[in-house]
Amino acid sequence: MHRLVRHRPSPAMVVACVALLVALGGTSIAAVNALAPNSVGPVQLRTGAVTNPKLRNNAVTGPKVQNHSLTAADFVARSLPKGPAGPAGPAGPAGPAGLIGPITVRQDSIVVAGGTGVQVQDGAYSTGTVSVNCNPGEKAISAGTGWSDDAAGRELWVQRLTPVLTNGAVTGYRGTGGNDSGNTSTFTLYVLCYTG
């Protein structure tokens, strides 16, 4: 067997080995060695270069987040404290009217003759008009009429039913009835009045 002889490597061999390491390592070794500590910042990073998978778990903590850079959407619901109440908004539309007070039926009547023609039911009506007003402070909401002998076949009718206005409010009604039945009949006007 040959004995291994220990020799120092020649300078040429050392230069060749260093050149081989640089060639195998590429420019990455030189780039890492060329960067000073804390020298990489936002200017050196491309937009979107640091993504969520590249961040170590718990690497971003409260002290590392710039103040006022987060919005409410970045937090879990109900994790933020409520702020002070804001100023009152404008009034909304009015709601439906409340219940009206008690309704009172007020009425008045007039007797109307049975016609003015020679024959009964010949279109020559006798008419009578009556008005009913609600008491002061009341308003009229509706009205109706009736005849004292309104049987089938009698020629009795309502010619007119109109509201009575006082200062723009309906405070009563006026009604006119016509009779050509040949018999006198009582025409009655009913008005519904309420306080409200």
Side-chain angles (χ1 to χ4, degrees):
M1 279 187 83
H2 297 287
R3 229 170 52 170
L4 290 174
V5 181
R6 294 182 132 191
H7 293 287
R8 284 188 179 181
S10 66
M13 178 63 79
V14 172
V15 171
C17 288
V18 170
L20 179 62
L21 286 175
V22 170
L24 291 175
T27 57
S28 61
I29 295 175
V32 169
N33 290 335
L35 292 175
N38 299 321
S39 63
V40 176
V43 175
Q44 288 78 22
L45 292 175
R46 284 181 308 165
T47 302
V50 179
T51 59
N52 198 30
K54 294 180 182 178
L55 292 174
R56 191 181 73 224
N57 287 342
N58 302 319
V60 180
T61 58
K64 295 180 182 177
V65 176
Q66 182 181 1
N67 288 340
H68 310 294
S69 64
L70 300 177
T71 65
D74 298 314
F75 295 89
V76 177
R78 296 183 301 279
S79 66
L80 295 175
K82 290 184 179 179
L99 296 175
I100 62 174
I103 296 176
T104 303
V105 179
R106 307 211 179 275
Q107 67 185 61
D108 199 1
S109 301
I110 187 170
V111 176
V112 182
T116 59
V118 177
Q119 295 180 347
V120 175
Q121 298 182 1
D122 60 358
Y125 293 92
S126 292
T127 60
T129 300
V130 63
S131 292
V132 175
N133 288 313
C134 296
N135 288 347
E138 293 180 339
K139 295 178 183 176
I141 56 173
S142 184
T145 62
W147 289 94
S148 60
D149 59 346
D150 191 11
R154 295 201 179 227
E155 199 164 333
L156 302 166
W157 63 292
V158 178
Q159 182 182 15
R160 184 178 299 116
L161 186 61
T162 56
V164 175
L165 298 176
T166 304
N167 297 325
V170 180
T171 57
Y173 279 85
R174 180 179 296 111
T176 301
N179 182 0
D180 190 25
S181 66
N183 299 306
T184 60
S185 185
T186 302
F187 176 70
T188 303
L189 174 63
Y190 305 92
V191 177
L192 302 182
C193 301
Y194 79 99
T195 303

